[in-house]
Amino acid sequence: MTAQDASKRLSPLAGRGPKAGQPEAGMGGAEVVAILLSALWLLVILALYLLAPADQGIAHWTPTVLTALAIVMPLVMIWVGTSALRAARVMRSENQRLQAAIDSLRHSYLTHVQQTEAAGEPTVSQKLEEIAEAARKTETALATFQSSRHGPARPAIPAEASKLATEDQGSLALGTSAEDMAPPLPAEQFIRALNFPETAEDEDGFTALRAALKDRKAAQVVQAAQDVLTLLSQDGIYMDDLRPDMARPEIWRQFAQGTRGRAVAALGGVRDRTSLALTSARMKQDPIFRDAAHHFLRRFDRMFAEFETDATDGEITALGDTRTARAFMLLGRVAGTFD
């Protein structure tokens, strides 16, 4: 509702007197009559004082005048009070009408605003939902191995690495498989693979990933980590955003040797409340996510128990700083592994 509409709504009150905000021009009829009567009264008194004989002047009429004033003045005061009360009643009535007009104007304005918001709300909500859905599809498409909220998208598994990981390997003589004949995966490459490639141009990362996918035990952990990282990214949880408290190597060794509970509680160093709350809710509501999380925790547990036997403290510290280890800290804390 515009100011012009408001002025039209108040026009019935405005037409009852002078324009709003301007003083009344000139004098009314009552003021003119009062002035004339006052002047006439003064002239009569002056005539009685100047023209009357000495023994019949104004002093002779003083008792009569006082008597008349004593009779008339109460009546005059009564009528003056009555007029004042009437004027006050009129002003109160006008004030009530003005307040009613203002309330009606405010109500009309609020109704107009609510109707406008109600009419525009579905469109805005629909646009926001479309944008959110597009963002979710884009994140799902790009986040197969992406654990950083920032940075360019990178492929989940290079085509050649997938081919090497899935193609059938011929058996060697005496029943010895190619996996058994392959040299063990170096700890440095294994740790690099658990952190996944940083960008699409990270050649060292993809080299380590290819090597890990050729190793049967390492591939199981890598694929389980891939699944949980992809699912976590759907809720906007990225490992690069987490800054967990790093546990000492001896704590990791205790965990590898079977210690559980508060003795290894330092491993659950993730403090991000939002990530913990979202992950906990997803664990309770999504059975697919829950199964993937428990499968990953079991794979990581077995892998680290074997890795710790020959690993140095530096290698354990490096593994604990990978994206896979951060996912283990987050999911382990939610699952109660460190309670």
Side-chain angles (χ1 to χ4, degrees):
M1 181 177 293
T2 62
Q4 184 178 3
D5 297 333
S7 63
K8 291 179 179 179
R9 294 290 302 272
L10 293 174
S11 58
L13 294 178
R16 298 178 61 86
K19 293 182 179 180
Q22 295 182 357
E24 185 177 357
M27 294 184 297
E31 287 80 359
V32 174
V33 172
I35 292 174
L36 293 176
L37 291 177
S38 299
L40 180 60
W41 175 255
L42 292 176
L43 290 175
V44 169
I45 296 300
L46 185 60
L48 290 175
Y49 182 78
L50 296 177
L51 301 178
D55 56 349
Q56 297 182 357
I58 190 171
H60 180 73
W61 295 93
T62 298
T64 305
V65 171
L66 291 176
T67 303
L69 291 176
I71 296 173
V72 173
M73 284 303 295
L75 297 175
V76 172
M77 295 300 296
I78 290 172
W79 282 103
V80 168
T82 302
S83 300
L85 292 176
R86 181 176 180 277
R89 187 171 59 255
V90 171
M91 291 179 63
R92 190 182 304 110
S93 176
E94 293 293 334
N95 186 29
Q96 292 176 353
R97 293 181 58 186
L98 179 61
Q99 186 64 40
I102 293 174
D103 292 340
S104 176
L105 182 64
R106 184 185 298 110
H107 178 72
S108 299
Y109 173 75
L110 293 176
T111 302
H112 175 73
V113 170
Q114 292 174 356
Q115 291 176 352
T116 303
E117 292 179 352
E121 184 176 358
T123 303
V124 175
S125 300
Q126 183 178 2
K127 293 294 183 184
L128 291 176
E129 290 178 359
E130 292 176 356
I131 294 172
E133 182 64 25
R136 283 194 295 268
K137 290 181 180 179
T138 302
E139 280 189 347
T140 302
L142 298 179
T144 304
F145 266 137
Q146 182 175 342
S147 59
S148 175
R149 192 182 300 273
H150 309 288
R154 52 181 177 266
I157 302 177
E160 52 186 289
S162 299
K163 182 178 180 181
L164 291 173
T166 56
E167 67 180 359
D168 294 333
Q169 299 291 335
S171 298
L172 300 179
L174 303 178
T176 303
S177 65
E179 294 175 351
D180 295 334
M181 294 295 295
L185 185 67
E188 182 180 357
Q189 266 195 330
F190 179 59
I191 294 170
R192 187 67 187 83
L194 292 181
N195 198 45
F196 298 110
E198 297 287 348
T199 64
E201 293 77 23
D202 186 2
E203 296 182 359
D204 294 339
F206 282 110
T207 300
L209 185 60
R210 293 187 191 101
L213 290 174
K214 293 179 182 179
D215 186 273
R216 181 173 57 84
K217 294 181 179 179
Q220 292 175 349
V221 178
V222 169
Q223 291 169 358
Q226 171 194 2
D227 294 338
V228 295
L229 290 178
T230 301
L231 294 172
L232 288 171
S233 68
Q234 294 174 357
D235 286 335
I237 303 173
Y238 299 89
M239 298 303 101
D240 284 356
D241 293 340
L242 304 179
R243 293 293 181 268
D245 299 336
M246 302 304 295
R248 300 189 305 274
E250 53 267 27
I251 304 296
W252 282 103
R253 292 188 186 278
Q254 292 178 20
F255 177 80
Q257 295 166 8
T259 303
R260 296 293 184 270
R262 294 188 177 275
V264 293
L267 297 182
V270 176
R271 308 297 181 188
D272 190 318
R273 295 183 178 179
T274 302
S275 299
L276 290 170
L278 290 174
T279 306
S280 178
R282 187 84 179 269
M283 287 277 281
K284 295 177 181 178
Q285 299 173 3
D286 189 345
I288 297 177
F289 177 83
R290 184 168 55 251
D291 293 342
H294 287 298
H295 175 71
F296 165 72
L297 291 175
R298 289 192 298 269
R299 290 294 183 188
F300 188 93
D301 190 349
R302 296 173 185 172
M303 173 274 299
F304 191 75
E306 297 179 2
F307 176 83
E308 181 268 337
T309 56
D310 299 324
T312 64
D313 288 351
E315 291 171 344
I316 292 177
T317 301
L319 187 145
D321 196 31
T322 61
R323 295 187 177 97
T324 299
R326 293 184 185 184
F328 168 74
M329 296 177 190
L330 174 64
L331 294 173
R333 184 170 180 182
V334 171
T337 304
F338 312 121
D339 294 340

